[in-house]
Amino acid sequence: QVSLVESGGGLVQAGGSLRLSCEAFGRPFRAAAMGWFRQAPGKDREFVAAFRWSGGGASYGDSVQGRFRISRHKVSNMVYLQMNNLTVEDTAIYYCGFQALGSSEFGSFGRGTQVTVSS
């Protein structure tokens, strides 16, 4: 069983940047991927970014492509989301997700961290 803890959310002005962190705890840790999702009030959860543990490839949602960057710590079970050029539309609760090796979907999520972008 893996648990996830996010940090780094907060209030930022439009055009600013934030960096989110997520650390995974638990054993065994066999990840296919870790990623980020977000949910704004009244909207469905949206895929933001994912990092493949094997091969290191990254993928992004259309709305954040070119502005956000996902990366992982070289040693620990942590992923980061660097968010640049933020807009008010990026305001949401951001959740870290974990996809277990052999699974076809993200099955575990953290409690989330609030990101608020002011105009």
Side-chain angles (χ1 to χ4, degrees):
Q1 187 74 15
V2 173
S3 60
L4 305 167
V5 179
E6 306 97 334
S7 61
L11 175 65
V12 64
Q13 286 190 327
S17 299
L18 277 176
R19 188 193 195 209
L20 305 183
S21 300
C22 172
E23 186 168 11
F25 299 89
R27 293 290 185 273
F29 184 84
R30 299 192 185 103
M34 288 181 67
W36 292 93
F37 296 77
R38 68 186 183 186
Q39 188 165 20
K43 295 187 178 180
D44 293 333
R45 188 170 62 189
E46 174 188 17
F47 169 74
V48 175
F51 190 95
R52 289 279 159 201
W53 238 240
S54 175
S59 58
Y60 298 91
D62 290 342
S63 61
V64 306
Q65 182 78 40
R67 299 186 299 122
F68 290 12
R69 181 176 179 271
I70 189 171
S71 60
R72 66 162 289 189
H73 192 278
K74 288 185 178 180
V75 178
S76 66
N77 300 330
M78 292 188 70
V79 290
Y80 308 99
L81 185 69
Q82 178 65 42
M83 306 185 294
N84 299 322
N85 195 21
L86 286 160
T87 71
V88 292
E89 288 73 29
D90 295 315
T91 296
I93 299 175
Y94 283 70
Y95 298 91
C96 180
F98 174 83
Q99 180 183 5
L101 195 63
S103 175
S104 61
E105 61 184 14
F106 285 82
S108 299
F109 295 90
R111 292 188 175 184
T113 184
Q114 176 71 48
V115 172
T116 302
V117 184
S118 63
S119 58

